[in-house]
């Protein structure tokens, strides 16, 4: 009688390896024609353009080339419009070493800008020099689709050994682009628009739904506009103003097989945004929004890792599976509130233009089934200053603050030696101030922590069982028994002394008997509890 296996297809990302690399990126941002010369640089911000990355793999080395998108704001010696914005790009390249990496494998690059510095030479008033230190985490993955046996039927004495594994079965990942359009109106208390200096925006999700293999993403584009005002001569000449608004958007990503019950990870980001003056009281905004979605289903499988039959000879085929077994995952959201002071050299706040924040991880660890993350909220604020008459009218200023925070998520079963993969996102940040206290500002940020704890397991799983054809053996003539001689007796039992590392399965397979027969012969209460030196009866 043959063995019939019940199989299940599992699609997983096997981790080939990972490496960290650091790159120092330096470059010059040149002012385009039409922009006035620089008097002072206010701020320089940069972001790695992940879509620009060109990745090549050769003999375990990963070469990465890409570009930094740099945004700078500066002051010009023009009273009617002192503040200007300029954009530029700086190229970079680096390599990482991951033994075993091959051309057809997937490479995940996660950048983190750890340090930035900018300078300006008055002798070169059309250039901004910028340098950045970027930490890159490079992970190489190979997506494999394997059939694993989860059940078996066959001879009555078929012995099956299973092991429970918890895997992320990847249903699919995809991305899409969409256009968000809308108008932002100038509030009644604000003056008319003369010229737009800069438009910036961030995207966030408000709702995610799954419908017939489509992931529907609804969200909001938060828009900020810095502009030069048309101020009548008889009013205080504060030329730079700020307004903000929201534009809703809906987009979708197609992932065949996706269902509402499955886990999905959704990211939205603004790839490009621009605004134009529609009229004196309205700004028309158009943004390209990219949605990135991964859908997976955590499967708990009892996979067959070995089998045999005492009554039949079986040929068992196996493959080695190296995967990240999911111990658990969870998320938590915290609100960080802190009152910060305007640094002494800076003037008082008249109006806050924009506040941006990123989270820096200072320490992450697993303690007693908890993932604890300690970090720092890096806050950058552009504001319009309240400058007394008679002093240089530099209306826009920049300041930075660091706010420490601690957050955690509970993941039962998580241990210190396991792998921790987490994502820390600043979902929203706002800043406000009381006009009666123009040197204090309250920062409020919503930080979301998503953590997953895994442990890499290497496990041999059964994929096929073959019943070998029986070889015809020539019959041996029976040796005639001598008169009065009894045939030799075969031993009916064997005494075995348990060795270190033994299990009942190993012993039963070695002597080609069933596990149950050993349990019954020795009246074992717990088959999983056998000790070195213990004597076991092996029935024959």
């Amino acid at each position: 009688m043959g063995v019939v296996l019940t199989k299940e297809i599992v699609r997983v990302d096997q981790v080939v390896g990972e490496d960290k690399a650091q790159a120092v990126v330096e470059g010059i941002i040149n002012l385009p024609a039409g922009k006035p010369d620089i008097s002072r640089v206010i701020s320089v911000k940069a972001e790695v353009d992940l879509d620009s990355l060109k990745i090549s793999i050769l003999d375990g080395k990963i070469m990465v080339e890409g570009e930094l998108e740099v945004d700078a704001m500066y002051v010009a010696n023009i009273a009617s419009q002192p503040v200007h914005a300029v954009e530029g790009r700086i190229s970079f390249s680096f390599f990482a070493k991951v033994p075993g990496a091959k051309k057809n494998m997937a490479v995940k690059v996660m950048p983190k800008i750890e340090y930035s510095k900018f300078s300006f030479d008055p002798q070169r008033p059309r250039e901004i020099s910028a340098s950045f230190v970027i930490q890159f985490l490079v992970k190489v993955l190979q997506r494999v689709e394997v059939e694993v046996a989860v059940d078996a039927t066959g001879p009555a004495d078929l012995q099956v050994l299973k092991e429970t594994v918890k895997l992320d079965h990847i249903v699919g990942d995809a991305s899409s682009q969409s256009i968000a359009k809308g108008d932002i109106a100038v509030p009644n208390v604000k003056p008319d628009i003369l010229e737009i200096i800069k438009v910036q925006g961030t995207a966030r999700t408000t709702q995610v739904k799954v419908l017939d293999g489509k992931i529907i993403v609804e969200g909001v584009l938060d828009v900020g506009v810095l502009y030069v005002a048309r101020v009548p001569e008889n009013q205080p000449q504060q030329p730079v103003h700020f307004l903000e608004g929201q534009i809703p958007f809906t987009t979708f990503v197609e992932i065949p097989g996706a269902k509402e019950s499955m886990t999905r990870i959704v990211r939205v980001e603004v790839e490009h945004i621009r605004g134009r003056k529609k009229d004196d009281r309205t700004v028309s905004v158009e943004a390209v929004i990219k949605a990135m979605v991964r859908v997976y289903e955590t499967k708990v499988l009892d996979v067959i890792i070995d089998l045999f039959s005492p009554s039949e000879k079986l040929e068992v085929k196996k493959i080695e599976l190296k995967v990240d077994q999911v111990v658990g995952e969870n998320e938590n959201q915290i609100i960080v509130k802190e009152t910060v002071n305007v640094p002494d050299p800076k003037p008082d706040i008249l109006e806050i233009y924009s506040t941006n924040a990123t989270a820096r991880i200072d320490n992450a660890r697993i303690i007693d089934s908890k993932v604890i993350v300690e970090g720092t909220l890096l806050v950058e604020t552009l504001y319009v200053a309240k400058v007394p008459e008679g002093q240089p009218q530099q209306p826009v200023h920049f300041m930075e603050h660091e706010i420490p925070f601690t957050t955690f998520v509970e993941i039962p079963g998580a241990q210190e030696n396991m792998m921790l993969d987490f994502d820390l996102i600043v979902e929203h940040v706002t800043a406000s101030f009381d006009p009666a206290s123009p040197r204090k500002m309250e920062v409020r940020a919503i930080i979301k922590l998503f953590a997953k704890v895994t442990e890499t397991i290497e496990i041999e799983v059964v994929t096929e069982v073959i019943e070998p054809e029986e070889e015809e053996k020539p019959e041996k003539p029976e040796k005639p028994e001598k008169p009065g001689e009894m045939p030799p007796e075969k031993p009916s039992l064997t005494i075995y002394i348990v060795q270190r590392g033994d299990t009942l399965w190993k012993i039963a397979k070695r002597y080609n008997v069933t596990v149950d027969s050993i349990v019954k012969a020795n009246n074992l209460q717990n088959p999983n509890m056998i000790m070195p030196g213990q004597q076991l009866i092996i029935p024959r």
Side-chain angles (χ1 to χ4, degrees):
M1 179 180 180
V3 176
V4 178
L5 297 178
T6 301
K7 298 181 180 181
E8 188 157 344
I9 295 176
V10 180
R11 189 184 303 116
V12 296
D13 280 341
Q14 288 195 9
V15 180
V16 178
E18 62 181 46
D19 189 22
K20 287 184 178 179
Q22 193 175 72
V24 178
V25 181
E26 297 178 323
I28 294 175
I29 308 301
N30 294 294
L31 300 186
K35 289 282 187 182
D37 289 356
I38 300 168
S39 173
R40 186 172 68 85
V41 179
I42 300 173
S43 67
V44 174
K45 294 192 302 180
E47 192 173 279
V48 176
D49 181 5
L50 294 177
D51 290 332
S52 74
L53 296 182
K54 295 179 181 177
I55 300 171
S56 56
I57 304 176
L58 181 63
D59 296 332
K61 282 188 177 181
I62 294 91
M63 288 292 303
V64 182
E65 297 176 285
E67 290 183 326
L68 271 180
E69 294 179 326
V70 183
D71 291 325
M73 295 190 70
Y74 71 95
V75 178
N77 285 323
I78 300 177
S80 61
Q81 186 185 343
V83 180
H84 289 261
V86 63
E87 299 175 350
R89 301 177 79 88
I90 301 175
S91 299
F92 66 85
S93 64
F94 71 94
F95 76 90
K97 293 181 179 180
V98 179
K102 297 179 181 178
K103 286 185 178 180
N104 59 342
M105 295 178 179
V107 179
K108 187 177 181 181
V109 178
M110 291 160 278
K112 178 182 176 184
I113 297 177
E114 295 190 322
Y115 175 79
S116 63
K117 182 181 178 181
F118 60 85
S119 60
F120 156 68
D121 182 356
Q123 302 299 318
R124 306 176 72 88
R126 301 195 64 77
E127 295 180 356
I128 300 173
S129 297
S131 61
F132 307 89
V133 177
I134 309 175
Q135 182 82 32
F136 293 93
L137 174 61
V138 180
K139 183 177 283 190
V140 179
L141 306 168
Q142 184 177 24
R143 183 161 297 180
V144 296
E145 192 172 277
V146 294
E147 280 189 328
V148 294
V150 294
D151 204 1
T153 57
D157 61 354
L158 182 66
Q159 303 294 289
V160 179
L161 182 62
K162 294 183 178 182
E163 186 168 323
T164 302
V165 295
K166 190 177 181 183
L167 305 172
D168 280 347
H169 171 72
I170 300 167
V171 179
D173 42 20
S175 62
S176 67
Q177 288 181 323
S178 61
I179 305 294
K181 293 181 179 180
D183 291 341
I184 306 297
V186 178
N188 292 332
V189 294
K190 295 280 187 180
D192 290 353
I193 301 169
L194 177 64
E195 187 174 345
I196 294 171
I197 299 173
K198 184 177 177 61
V199 177
Q200 65 180 25
T202 57
R204 53 188 171 93
T205 58
T206 56
Q207 189 175 16
V208 179
K209 296 180 287 188
V210 182
L211 181 65
D212 296 332
K214 286 184 179 180
I215 315 299
I216 313 297
V217 180
E218 297 178 5
V220 170
L221 177 66
D222 294 310
V223 181
V225 180
L226 190 68
Y227 71 97
V228 178
R230 190 189 302 276
V231 185
E233 290 184 5
N234 59 347
Q235 292 186 13
Q237 293 298 304
Q238 166 48 43
V240 179
H241 285 262
F242 173 69
L243 65 93
E244 55 189 347
Q246 294 181 340
I247 299 173
F249 67 86
T250 301
T251 186
F252 70 90
V253 176
E254 291 189 273
I255 298 181
K259 298 178 182 178
E260 183 66 35
S261 60
M262 296 175 179
T263 303
R264 57 259 186 184
I265 298 175
V266 180
R267 286 281 193 89
V268 289
E269 62 180 35
V270 179
E271 290 202 312
H272 179 71
I273 187 169
R274 65 178 182 179
R276 63 177 181 84
K277 177 182 171 183
K278 186 175 183 180
D279 55 49
D280 287 351
R281 308 289 302 171
T282 311
V283 179
S284 290
V285 177
E286 182 176 301
V288 178
I289 295 176
K290 183 176 182 179
M292 296 156 285
V293 181
R294 165 172 279 201
V295 177
Y296 63 89
E297 182 180 17
T298 300
K299 288 188 174 184
V300 180
L301 301 175
D302 292 326
V303 298
I304 298 175
I305 60 174
D306 200 7
L307 55 78
F308 72 94
S309 168
S311 61
E312 294 187 23
K313 186 177 180 181
L314 302 175
E315 183 182 333
V316 180
K317 291 190 176 181
K318 302 179 183 181
I319 62 167
E320 186 176 77
L321 204 59
K322 182 181 179 182
V323 293
D324 286 346
Q325 177 171 252
V326 181
V327 177
E329 59 189 25
N330 203 353
E331 63 183 29
N332 187 25
Q333 194 179 69
I334 64 167
I335 297 175
V336 176
K337 287 175 66 177
E338 185 77 18
T339 299
V340 297
N341 297 313
V342 177
D344 285 339
K346 297 287 185 180
D348 293 354
I349 301 172
L350 178 64
E351 183 180 1
I352 296 173
Y353 160 53
S354 68
T355 301
N356 296 309
T358 57
R360 182 186 72 207
I361 308 301
D362 298 324
N363 188 26
R365 61 192 188 277
I366 302 173
I367 300 178
D368 298 333
S369 296
K370 285 184 180 179
V371 175
I372 301 173
V373 175
E374 297 171 347
T376 302
L377 189 68
L378 306 173
V379 183
E380 298 177 341
T381 306
L382 279 172
Y383 71 98
V384 177
K386 186 177 182 180
V387 184
E389 290 186 16
Q391 292 187 14
Q393 293 296 306
Q394 163 47 41
V396 177
H397 287 260
F398 175 77
M399 57 182 174
E400 296 176 293
H401 295 91
E402 294 189 357
I403 302 172
F405 67 88
T406 301
T407 184
F408 72 92
V409 294
E410 294 187 357
I411 298 181
Q415 297 177 15
E416 189 175 354
N417 59 343
M418 294 179 177
M419 293 175 60
L420 174 59
D421 188 12
F422 59 88
D423 211 356
L424 198 62
I425 304 169
V426 179
E427 291 195 316
H428 192 59
V429 61
T430 58
S432 60
F433 78 104
D434 183 351
S437 302
R439 297 199 64 76
K440 292 184 180 295
M441 177 180 73
E442 184 183 80
V443 178
R444 184 178 184 273
I446 300 174
I447 300 176
K448 183 177 181 180
L449 170 65
F450 174 82
K452 177 187 285 188
V453 176
T454 60
E455 58 178 340
T456 301
I457 60 170
E458 295 184 28
I459 182 173
E460 280 193 330
V461 296
V462 173
T463 58
E464 195 174 351
V465 178
I466 301 172
E467 189 175 6
E469 295 181 3
E470 292 187 4
E471 296 180 3
E472 292 187 6
K473 297 180 180 179
E475 293 185 5
K476 293 183 178 179
E478 292 185 7
K479 185 179 179 181
E481 296 175 6
K482 296 179 181 179
E485 184 180 9
M486 296 294 292
E489 290 187 4
K490 295 181 179 178
S492 60
L493 58 86
T494 300
I495 302 298
Y496 176 76
I497 299 175
V498 177
Q499 306 298 308
R500 186 179 298 275
D502 274 345
T503 64
L504 278 190
W505 176 268
K506 291 179 180 178
I507 297 169
K509 189 175 181 182
R510 183 184 305 161
Y511 287 97
N512 203 34
V513 298
T514 66
V515 173
D516 190 52
S517 67
I518 299 178
V519 171
K520 288 179 179 178
N522 294 273
N523 195 26
L524 296 177
Q525 299 301 314
N526 186 349
N528 296 320
M529 287 291 291
I530 57 174
M531 305 297 291
Q534 182 178 350
Q535 292 185 353
L536 294 178
I537 298 171
I538 311 297
R540 307 295 289 178

